[in-house]
């Protein structure tokens, strides 16, 4: 049985090494990425006359939390591999274990450090990054020509009370849906069908302006009612923003807004709900990965090897990148409806947790 009497001097030594190496490495990498990004986009910034203040504070300052959270699993892994391998090569790990400290007790400062990073990642994902992404995405929409909103095509939505909407195309420039159709199918049969050549959304009042509209009310008998006209103003629970829910707009929603969007999209039968469900699960799966990858890293690096740190760093880099790649690849299972998001997005954690358990059991032997 492990007796734990609080963090000791040795624990704080490892925690300081862990956190200092982690934050230093991820900030240095973020600066390198920013430098390359500036060199790539400088012409666009000059041509679009983007203010320097907006470039620094609206874009890049809000990019750093996003980058830190997105790639934190890989940097957690590399951090553990780097400083633990160095401690092993300097015989510090051997000295610690020889002093009577068990291998399980050695893991305590590592788990505490992983918990700090996990809580930071969770806080960033739930509160800081959504707000920062809002400012960053607004900047990109204005000054980055490659991140423009595209018009949608062949979209189907289910509204409340079994109303189904079909739109052939939607233009972002004039907020207009073309070849608009809405069917009332409540009670197991069609009650009415509304068609319009176009439907323009008023962003101020929330009213849809239908042009060249046609409504057919179906009677249980043979007395159908047909109405038509040049213009009709109506309101229903569909807004302009619903046509442009992509990964970048979803990332700016806080947790409450994201949950409300998922419920709405599920009710409407909106296929883009997959993107929202991926974002929701990523916000919780990334923090958990800090514990799993920390255990794997320590288990790999507490024994001296002939290859020294080079072998450990190579293995750590390969495993770190494979986790990121697997995490990105698992999203395809959601988009292809192979697996639900709560399984597919957590699949890398499930697999690497098994790897961590096997390595951790074998490590003390």
């Amino acid at each position: 049985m492990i007796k734990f009497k609080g963090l000791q001097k040795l624990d704080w030594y490892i925690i300081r090494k862990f956190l200092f190496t982690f934050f230093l490495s991820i900030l240095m990498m973020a600066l390198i990425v920013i430098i390359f990004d500036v060199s790539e986009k400088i012409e666009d910034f000059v041509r679009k006359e983007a203010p320097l203040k907006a470039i620094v504070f609206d874009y890049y300052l809000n990019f750093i939390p996003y980058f830190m959270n997105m790639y934190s699993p890989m940097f957690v892994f590399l951090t553990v591999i780097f400083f633990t391998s160095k401690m092993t090569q300097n015989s510090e790990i051997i000295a610690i274990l020889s002093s009577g400290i068990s291998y399980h007790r050695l893991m305590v400062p590592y788990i505490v450090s992983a918990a700090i990073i996990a809580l930071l990642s969770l806080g960033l994902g739930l509160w800081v990054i959504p707000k920062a992404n809002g400012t960053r995405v607004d900047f990109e929409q204005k000054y980055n020509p490659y991140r423009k909103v595209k018009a949608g095509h062949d979209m189907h939505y289910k509204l409340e009370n079994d109303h189904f909407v079909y739109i052939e195309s939607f233009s972002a420039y004039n907020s207009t849906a073309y070849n608009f159709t809405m069917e009332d199918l409540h009670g197991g049969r069609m009650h009415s069908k509304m068609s319009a050549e176009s439907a323009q959304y008023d962003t101020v009042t929330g009213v849809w302006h239908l042009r060249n509209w046609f409504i057919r009310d179906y009677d249980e008998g043979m007395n159908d009612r047909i109405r038509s006209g040049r213009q009709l103003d109506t309101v229903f629970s569909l807004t302009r923003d619903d046509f442009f829910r992509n990964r970048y707009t979803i990332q700016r929603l806080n947790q409450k807004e994201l949950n409300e969007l998922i419920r709405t999209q599920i009710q409407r039968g909106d296929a883009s709900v997959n993107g929202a469900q991926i974002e929701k699960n990523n916000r919780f799966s990334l923090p958990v990965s800090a514990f799993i990858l920390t255990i794997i890293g320590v288990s790999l690096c507490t024994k001296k090897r002939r290859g020294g740190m080079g072998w450990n760093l190579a293995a750590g880099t390969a495993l770190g990148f494979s986790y990121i790649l697997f995490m990105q690849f698992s999203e395809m299972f959601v988009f292809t409806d192979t697996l639900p998001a709560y399984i597919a997005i957590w699949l890398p954690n499930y697999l690497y947790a098994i790897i961590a358990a096997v390595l951790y059991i074998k490590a003390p032997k």
Side-chain angles (χ1 to χ4, degrees), residues 70 247 274 278-279 282 325-337 339 344-345 348:
M70 182 66 185
R247 180 144 208 175
N274 290 334
I278 288 172
E279 176 65 21
N282 271 334
L325 181 63
F326 191 13
M327 185 177 65
Q328 299 295 326
F329 183 75
S330 65
E331 295 181 3
M332 297 303 299
F333 294 129
V334 183
F335 288 118
T336 57
D337 293 326
L339 292 172
I345 301 304

Side-chain angles (χ1 to χ4, degrees), residues 203-261:
T203 56
V204 177
T205 62
V207 174
W208 288 91
H209 304 294
L210 276 61
R211 293 182 176 84
N212 297 328
W213 58 273
F214 177 95
I215 299 177
R216 182 168 184 170
D217 298 313
Y218 293 91
D219 188 80
E220 292 185 359
M222 300 298 292
N223 300 319
D224 294 348
R225 181 186 176 193
I226 299 176
R227 294 171 287 159
S228 63
R230 296 285 297 174
Q231 183 167 331
L232 176 67
D233 294 343
T234 186
V235 177
F236 46 88
S237 59
L238 197 65
T239 69
R240 179 186 187 277
D241 293 338
D242 291 318
F243 298 102
F244 302 104
R245 295 294 186 187
N246 54 37
R247 180 144 208 175
Y248 305 105
T249 56
I250 291 172
Q251 287 174 348
R252 66 194 300 170
L253 302 178
N254 59 41
Q255 199 63 22
K256 181 180 179 181
E257 293 170 335
L258 187 59
N259 288 331
E260 290 176 353
L261 174 63

Side-chain angles (χ1 to χ4, degrees), residues 138-200:
D138 288 341
F139 178 92
E140 290 183 331
Q141 294 291 347
K142 187 175 182 179
Y143 298 109
N144 185 357
Y146 305 106
R147 190 60 62 80
K148 293 298 183 183
V149 174
K150 298 180 180 179
H153 297 277
D154 295 326
M155 292 169 286
H156 300 261
Y157 297 93
K158 179 183 178 182
L159 309 184
E160 70 283 351
N161 299 324
D162 291 333
H163 284 71
F164 294 83
V165 171
Y166 167 76
I167 293 170
E168 184 177 283
S169 64
F170 188 88
S171 172
Y173 301 104
N174 56 9
S175 301
T176 300
Y178 295 97
N179 290 336
F180 171 90
T181 301
M182 184 167 68
E183 298 176 344
D184 178 4
L185 297 175
H186 76 271
R189 71 179 186 86
M190 183 177 292
H191 290 262
S192 66
K193 180 177 181 179
M194 175 191 293
S195 302
E197 182 180 296
S198 65
Q200 186 176 36

Side-chain angles (χ1 to χ4, degrees), residues 69-70 72-73 117-118 121-122 125-126 247 255 277-293 323-324 326-328 330-331 341-350 352:
N69 196 53
M70 182 66 185
S72 62
I117 294 174
S121 176
L122 186 64
L126 294 181
R247 180 144 208 175
Q255 199 63 22
Q277 290 176 329
I278 288 172
E279 176 65 21
K280 178 181 178 179
N281 283 275
N282 271 334
R283 292 182 182 183
F284 293 97
S285 65
L286 282 175
V288 173
S289 69
F291 296 99
I292 298 171
L293 296 178
Y323 178 86
I324 297 294
F326 191 13
M327 185 177 65
Q328 299 295 326
S330 65
E331 295 181 3
Y342 64 86
I343 294 179
I345 301 304
W346 286 84
L347 197 58
N349 282 347
Y350 300 150
Y352 279 72

Side-chain angles (χ1 to χ4, degrees), residues 22-52:
F22 172 78
F23 287 111
L24 181 63
S25 60
I26 202 168
L27 286 175
M28 288 181 62
M29 182 58 67
L31 290 175
I32 293 173
V33 171
I34 288 173
I35 290 172
F36 280 101
D37 193 67
V38 169
S39 64
E40 180 183 351
K41 297 177 180 176
I42 187 66
E43 293 183 2
D44 296 326
F45 291 155
V46 173
R47 185 171 64 254
K48 294 286 185 175
E49 298 181 352
L52 179 61

Side-chain angles (χ1 to χ4, degrees), residues 57-59 62 130-140 252:
F57 292 99
D58 293 346
Y59 185 57
N62 289 308
K131 185 177 180 180
N133 277 340
T135 305
R136 180 173 63 86
V137 170
D138 288 341
F139 178 92
E140 290 183 331
R252 66 194 300 170

